[in-house]
Short mmCIF file of all heavy atoms in Angstrom, two decimals:
data_model
loop_
_atom_site.label_atom_id
_atom_site.label_comp_id
_atom_site.label_asym_id
_atom_site.label_seq_id
_atom_site.Cartn_x
_atom_site.Cartn_y
_atom_site.Cartn_z
N PRO A 122 -4.75 19.80 -12.56
CA PRO A 122 -4.34 20.09 -11.19
C PRO A 122 -5.32 21.00 -10.47
O PRO A 122 -5.96 21.87 -11.09
CB PRO A 122 -2.98 20.77 -11.37
CG PRO A 122 -3.07 21.40 -12.73
CD PRO A 122 -3.90 20.46 -13.56
N ILE A 123 -5.44 20.80 -9.18
CA ILE A 123 -6.21 21.69 -8.31
C ILE A 123 -5.21 22.60 -7.60
O ILE A 123 -4.42 22.12 -6.78
CB ILE A 123 -7.02 20.90 -7.27
CG1 ILE A 123 -7.96 19.92 -7.97
CG2 ILE A 123 -7.79 21.85 -6.36
CD1 ILE A 123 -8.64 18.95 -7.00
N PRO A 124 -5.17 23.89 -7.91
CA PRO A 124 -4.21 24.79 -7.26
C PRO A 124 -4.45 24.85 -5.75
O PRO A 124 -5.59 24.92 -5.30
CB PRO A 124 -4.48 26.15 -7.92
CG PRO A 124 -5.19 25.83 -9.20
CD PRO A 124 -5.99 24.60 -8.92
N VAL A 125 -3.36 24.79 -5.00
CA VAL A 125 -3.46 24.81 -3.53
C VAL A 125 -2.51 25.87 -2.99
O VAL A 125 -1.32 25.88 -3.33
CB VAL A 125 -3.09 23.43 -2.93
CG1 VAL A 125 -3.17 23.49 -1.41
CG2 VAL A 125 -4.02 22.35 -3.47
N GLN A 126 -3.04 26.77 -2.18
CA GLN A 126 -2.23 27.78 -1.53
C GLN A 126 -1.68 27.22 -0.21
O GLN A 126 -2.40 26.54 0.53
CB GLN A 126 -3.06 29.04 -1.25
CG GLN A 126 -3.55 29.75 -2.50
CD GLN A 126 -2.41 30.30 -3.33
OE1 GLN A 126 -1.41 30.80 -2.80
NE2 GLN A 126 -2.53 30.20 -4.65
N SER A 127 -0.43 27.51 0.06
CA SER A 127 0.21 26.99 1.26
C SER A 127 -0.41 27.59 2.52
O SER A 127 -0.57 28.82 2.64
CB SER A 127 1.71 27.31 1.22
OG SER A 127 2.34 26.88 2.41
N LYS A 128 -0.76 26.71 3.46
CA LYS A 128 -1.28 27.10 4.77
C LYS A 128 -0.58 26.24 5.81
O LYS A 128 -0.98 25.09 6.02
CB LYS A 128 -2.79 26.92 4.85
CG LYS A 128 -3.58 27.85 3.95
CD LYS A 128 -5.08 27.73 4.20
CE LYS A 128 -5.86 28.73 3.36
NZ LYS A 128 -7.32 28.64 3.61
N PRO A 129 0.47 26.75 6.45
CA PRO A 129 1.25 25.94 7.41
C PRO A 129 0.40 25.28 8.50
O PRO A 129 0.75 24.21 9.00
CB PRO A 129 2.23 26.95 8.00
CG PRO A 129 2.38 27.99 6.93
CD PRO A 129 1.02 28.11 6.31
N SER A 130 -0.71 25.92 8.86
CA SER A 130 -1.58 25.35 9.91
C SER A 130 -3.03 25.34 9.40
O SER A 130 -3.87 26.15 9.83
CB SER A 130 -1.49 26.17 11.20
OG SER A 130 -0.17 26.16 11.71
N PRO A 131 -3.34 24.42 8.48
CA PRO A 131 -4.70 24.39 7.92
C PRO A 131 -5.73 23.98 8.96
O PRO A 131 -5.47 23.14 9.83
CB PRO A 131 -4.59 23.34 6.81
CG PRO A 131 -3.46 22.46 7.22
CD PRO A 131 -2.49 23.36 7.92
N THR A 132 -6.90 24.59 8.89
CA THR A 132 -7.99 24.25 9.79
C THR A 132 -8.73 23.02 9.26
O THR A 132 -8.56 22.62 8.11
CB THR A 132 -8.97 25.42 9.92
OG1 THR A 132 -9.60 25.64 8.65
CG2 THR A 132 -8.27 26.68 10.35
N SER A 133 -9.56 22.43 10.10
CA SER A 133 -10.35 21.28 9.66
C SER A 133 -11.30 21.68 8.54
O SER A 133 -11.59 20.89 7.65
CB SER A 133 -11.13 20.71 10.84
OG SER A 133 -11.98 21.68 11.43
N GLU A 134 -11.76 22.95 8.57
CA GLU A 134 -12.63 23.43 7.49
C GLU A 134 -11.88 23.50 6.17
O GLU A 134 -12.42 23.18 5.10
CB GLU A 134 -13.20 24.81 7.84
CG GLU A 134 -14.24 24.81 8.95
CD GLU A 134 -13.62 24.68 10.34
OE1 GLU A 134 -12.37 24.85 10.45
OE2 GLU A 134 -14.36 24.41 11.30
N ASP A 135 -10.61 23.92 6.22
CA ASP A 135 -9.77 23.97 5.02
C ASP A 135 -9.63 22.57 4.43
O ASP A 135 -9.74 22.38 3.21
CB ASP A 135 -8.38 24.53 5.34
CG ASP A 135 -8.41 25.99 5.75
OD1 ASP A 135 -9.30 26.72 5.27
OD2 ASP A 135 -7.55 26.39 6.56
N VAL A 136 -9.36 21.60 5.29
CA VAL A 136 -9.15 20.23 4.84
C VAL A 136 -10.43 19.67 4.22
O VAL A 136 -10.42 19.07 3.14
CB VAL A 136 -8.67 19.34 6.00
CG1 VAL A 136 -8.60 17.88 5.57
CG2 VAL A 136 -7.31 19.81 6.51
N GLU A 137 -11.56 19.88 4.91
CA GLU A 137 -12.84 19.37 4.42
C GLU A 137 -13.20 19.97 3.08
O GLU A 137 -13.66 19.27 2.16
CB GLU A 137 -13.94 19.66 5.44
CG GLU A 137 -13.88 18.82 6.70
CD GLU A 137 -14.17 17.35 6.45
OE1 GLU A 137 -14.81 17.04 5.43
OE2 GLU A 137 -13.73 16.51 7.26
N SER A 138 -13.00 21.26 2.93
CA SER A 138 -13.36 21.95 1.70
C SER A 138 -12.53 21.44 0.52
O SER A 138 -13.07 21.15 -0.56
CB SER A 138 -13.15 23.46 1.87
OG SER A 138 -13.42 24.15 0.66
N LEU A 139 -11.22 21.30 0.73
CA LEU A 139 -10.36 20.82 -0.35
C LEU A 139 -10.63 19.35 -0.65
O LEU A 139 -10.58 18.93 -1.81
CB LEU A 139 -8.89 21.04 0.03
CG LEU A 139 -7.86 20.65 -1.05
CD1 LEU A 139 -8.13 21.40 -2.35
CD2 LEU A 139 -6.44 20.95 -0.55
N HIS A 140 -10.93 18.57 0.37
CA HIS A 140 -11.23 17.16 0.17
C HIS A 140 -12.49 17.00 -0.68
O HIS A 140 -12.53 16.17 -1.60
CB HIS A 140 -11.42 16.48 1.53
CG HIS A 140 -11.57 15.00 1.45
ND1 HIS A 140 -12.79 14.36 1.68
CD2 HIS A 140 -10.69 14.00 1.16
CE1 HIS A 140 -12.64 13.06 1.54
NE2 HIS A 140 -11.38 12.81 1.23
N GLU A 141 -13.52 17.79 -0.40
CA GLU A 141 -14.74 17.74 -1.20
C GLU A 141 -14.48 18.12 -2.65
O GLU A 141 -15.01 17.51 -3.58
CB GLU A 141 -15.80 18.66 -0.58
CG GLU A 141 -16.37 18.16 0.73
CD GLU A 141 -17.43 19.10 1.29
OE1 GLU A 141 -17.85 20.02 0.55
OE2 GLU A 141 -17.83 18.91 2.45
N LEU A 142 -13.67 19.16 -2.85
CA LEU A 142 -13.33 19.58 -4.21
C LEU A 142 -12.56 18.49 -4.93
O LEU A 142 -12.80 18.22 -6.12
CB LEU A 142 -12.50 20.87 -4.16
CG LEU A 142 -12.01 21.41 -5.51
CD1 LEU A 142 -13.17 21.68 -6.46
CD2 LEU A 142 -11.15 22.65 -5.31
N TYR A 143 -11.64 17.84 -4.22
CA TYR A 143 -10.86 16.76 -4.83
C TYR A 143 -11.76 15.62 -5.29
O TYR A 143 -11.62 15.11 -6.41
CB TYR A 143 -9.80 16.25 -3.85
CG TYR A 143 -9.02 15.07 -4.37
CD1 TYR A 143 -7.92 15.27 -5.21
CD2 TYR A 143 -9.39 13.76 -4.07
CE1 TYR A 143 -7.22 14.19 -5.72
CE2 TYR A 143 -8.69 12.69 -4.58
CZ TYR A 143 -7.60 12.91 -5.39
OH TYR A 143 -6.92 11.83 -5.91
N LEU A 144 -12.69 15.20 -4.43
CA LEU A 144 -13.59 14.11 -4.79
C LEU A 144 -14.48 14.50 -5.97
O LEU A 144 -14.78 13.67 -6.84
CB LEU A 144 -14.46 13.73 -3.59
CG LEU A 144 -13.73 13.11 -2.40
CD1 LEU A 144 -14.73 12.67 -1.33
CD2 LEU A 144 -12.85 11.94 -2.82
N GLN A 145 -14.87 15.76 -6.03
CA GLN A 145 -15.68 16.23 -7.15
C GLN A 145 -14.88 16.15 -8.45
O GLN A 145 -15.39 15.67 -9.48
CB GLN A 145 -16.11 17.68 -6.90
CG GLN A 145 -16.90 18.30 -8.05
CD GLN A 145 -17.17 19.79 -7.83
OE1 GLN A 145 -17.25 20.25 -6.70
NE2 GLN A 145 -17.28 20.53 -8.92
N ARG A 146 -13.62 16.60 -8.42
CA ARG A 146 -12.78 16.56 -9.62
C ARG A 146 -12.47 15.12 -10.04
O ARG A 146 -12.42 14.82 -11.23
CB ARG A 146 -11.49 17.33 -9.36
CG ARG A 146 -11.68 18.82 -9.17
CD ARG A 146 -12.07 19.52 -10.46
NE ARG A 146 -12.17 20.95 -10.29
CZ ARG A 146 -11.14 21.79 -10.37
NH1 ARG A 146 -9.93 21.31 -10.64
NH2 ARG A 146 -11.30 23.09 -10.19
N LEU A 147 -12.28 14.24 -9.07
CA LEU A 147 -12.03 12.84 -9.38
C LEU A 147 -13.24 12.22 -10.05
O LEU A 147 -13.12 11.49 -11.05
CB LEU A 147 -11.69 12.09 -8.09
CG LEU A 147 -11.54 10.56 -8.20
CD1 LEU A 147 -10.44 10.19 -9.18
CD2 LEU A 147 -11.28 9.95 -6.82
N SER A 148 -14.42 12.50 -9.54
CA SER A 148 -15.66 11.98 -10.12
C SER A 148 -15.85 12.51 -11.54
O SER A 148 -16.23 11.78 -12.45
CB SER A 148 -16.85 12.36 -9.24
OG SER A 148 -18.05 11.81 -9.76
N GLU A 149 -15.57 13.80 -11.74
CA GLU A 149 -15.70 14.40 -13.07
C GLU A 149 -14.72 13.76 -14.06
O GLU A 149 -15.07 13.53 -15.23
CB GLU A 149 -15.46 15.90 -12.98
CG GLU A 149 -16.56 16.66 -12.26
CD GLU A 149 -16.20 18.11 -12.02
OE1 GLU A 149 -15.05 18.50 -12.31
OE2 GLU A 149 -17.07 18.87 -11.52
N LEU A 150 -13.52 13.48 -13.61
CA LEU A 150 -12.53 12.84 -14.47
C LEU A 150 -13.01 11.47 -14.90
O LEU A 150 -12.91 11.10 -16.08
CB LEU A 150 -11.19 12.73 -13.71
CG LEU A 150 -10.03 12.06 -14.46
CD1 LEU A 150 -9.54 12.96 -15.59
CD2 LEU A 150 -8.88 11.75 -13.51
N PHE A 151 -13.53 10.69 -13.95
CA PHE A 151 -14.05 9.37 -14.26
C PHE A 151 -15.21 9.44 -15.24
O PHE A 151 -15.26 8.71 -16.24
CB PHE A 151 -14.48 8.67 -12.97
CG PHE A 151 -15.15 7.34 -13.20
CD1 PHE A 151 -14.41 6.20 -13.41
CD2 PHE A 151 -16.54 7.25 -13.20
CE1 PHE A 151 -15.03 4.97 -13.62
CE2 PHE A 151 -17.17 6.03 -13.41
CZ PHE A 151 -16.41 4.89 -13.63
N GLU A 152 -16.18 10.30 -14.97
CA GLU A 152 -17.36 10.41 -15.80
C GLU A 152 -17.01 10.83 -17.22
O GLU A 152 -17.63 10.38 -18.20
CB GLU A 152 -18.36 11.40 -15.19
CG GLU A 152 -18.96 10.96 -13.87
CD GLU A 152 -19.85 9.73 -14.00
OE1 GLU A 152 -20.46 9.56 -15.08
OE2 GLU A 152 -19.94 8.95 -13.03
N LYS A 153 -16.03 11.69 -17.37
CA LYS A 153 -15.65 12.20 -18.68
C LYS A 153 -15.02 11.12 -19.56
O LYS A 153 -15.21 11.10 -20.78
CB LYS A 153 -14.68 13.37 -18.53
CG LYS A 153 -14.24 13.99 -19.86
CD LYS A 153 -13.33 15.19 -19.62
CE LYS A 153 -12.90 15.81 -20.95
NZ LYS A 153 -12.01 16.99 -20.74
N HIS A 154 -14.30 10.18 -18.96
CA HIS A 154 -13.51 9.23 -19.75
C HIS A 154 -14.02 7.79 -19.70
O HIS A 154 -13.50 6.94 -20.42
CB HIS A 154 -12.06 9.26 -19.28
CG HIS A 154 -11.36 10.56 -19.53
ND1 HIS A 154 -10.80 10.89 -20.74
CD2 HIS A 154 -11.15 11.63 -18.70
CE1 HIS A 154 -10.26 12.10 -20.67
NE2 HIS A 154 -10.47 12.57 -19.45
N LYS A 155 -15.01 7.49 -18.87
CA LYS A 155 -15.39 6.09 -18.64
C LYS A 155 -15.85 5.37 -19.90
O LYS A 155 -15.48 4.21 -20.12
CB LYS A 155 -16.45 6.01 -17.55
CG LYS A 155 -17.78 6.67 -17.90
CD LYS A 155 -18.77 6.57 -16.73
CE LYS A 155 -20.11 7.21 -17.07
NZ LYS A 155 -21.05 7.15 -15.92
N THR A 156 -16.67 5.99 -20.74
CA THR A 156 -17.17 5.29 -21.93
C THR A 156 -16.06 5.07 -22.95
O THR A 156 -16.09 4.10 -23.71
CB THR A 156 -18.32 6.08 -22.58
OG1 THR A 156 -17.89 7.41 -22.88
CG2 THR A 156 -19.52 6.14 -21.65
N GLU A 157 -15.06 5.95 -22.94
CA GLU A 157 -13.93 5.81 -23.86
C GLU A 157 -13.10 4.58 -23.55
O GLU A 157 -12.47 4.00 -24.44
CB GLU A 157 -13.06 7.07 -23.77
CG GLU A 157 -11.93 7.13 -24.77
CD GLU A 157 -11.14 8.43 -24.68
OE1 GLU A 157 -11.57 9.34 -23.91
OE2 GLU A 157 -10.10 8.54 -25.35
N TYR A 158 -13.13 4.15 -22.29
CA TYR A 158 -12.29 3.02 -21.88
C TYR A 158 -13.11 1.82 -21.40
O TYR A 158 -12.71 1.10 -20.50
CB TYR A 158 -11.29 3.48 -20.82
CG TYR A 158 -10.37 4.55 -21.36
CD1 TYR A 158 -10.37 5.84 -20.83
CD2 TYR A 158 -9.54 4.28 -22.45
CE1 TYR A 158 -9.55 6.83 -21.35
CE2 TYR A 158 -8.72 5.27 -22.98
CZ TYR A 158 -8.73 6.54 -22.44
OH TYR A 158 -7.93 7.51 -22.98
N GLY A 159 -14.26 1.64 -22.01
CA GLY A 159 -14.98 0.38 -21.88
C GLY A 159 -16.04 0.26 -20.81
O GLY A 159 -16.58 -0.83 -20.59
N LEU A 160 -16.38 1.36 -20.13
CA LEU A 160 -17.41 1.31 -19.10
C LEU A 160 -18.70 1.94 -19.62
O LEU A 160 -18.68 2.91 -20.38
CB LEU A 160 -16.95 2.03 -17.83
CG LEU A 160 -15.79 1.38 -17.08
CD1 LEU A 160 -15.37 2.26 -15.91
CD2 LEU A 160 -16.15 -0.01 -16.59
N GLY A 161 -19.83 1.39 -19.19
CA GLY A 161 -21.11 1.89 -19.62
C GLY A 161 -21.48 3.20 -18.95
O GLY A 161 -20.95 3.54 -17.89
#
């Protein structure tokens, strides 16, 4: 999980920053497990 602090009125910068972190974590998850499940 990516811990998220509640911000009732998030700024566009808040959204962009968390979105970038999410994509980074998603990519890391894929890279870590891809060879285990049949991908080169």
Side-chain angles (χ1 to χ4, degrees):
I123 302 171
V125 179
Q126 295 296 322
S127 177
K128 293 186 176 181
S130 299
T132 65
S133 58
E134 289 78 13
D135 294 329
V136 174
E137 288 293 338
S138 177
L139 183 56
H140 187 252
E141 289 181 11
L142 177 59
Y143 176 84
L144 294 185
Q145 177 186 332
R146 294 289 184 85
L147 174 60
S148 183
E149 290 172 353
L150 179 70
F151 174 82
E152 294 294 330
K153 181 178 180 179
H154 295 277
K155 64 182 181 182
T156 56
E157 186 178 353
Y158 298 117
L160 293 175

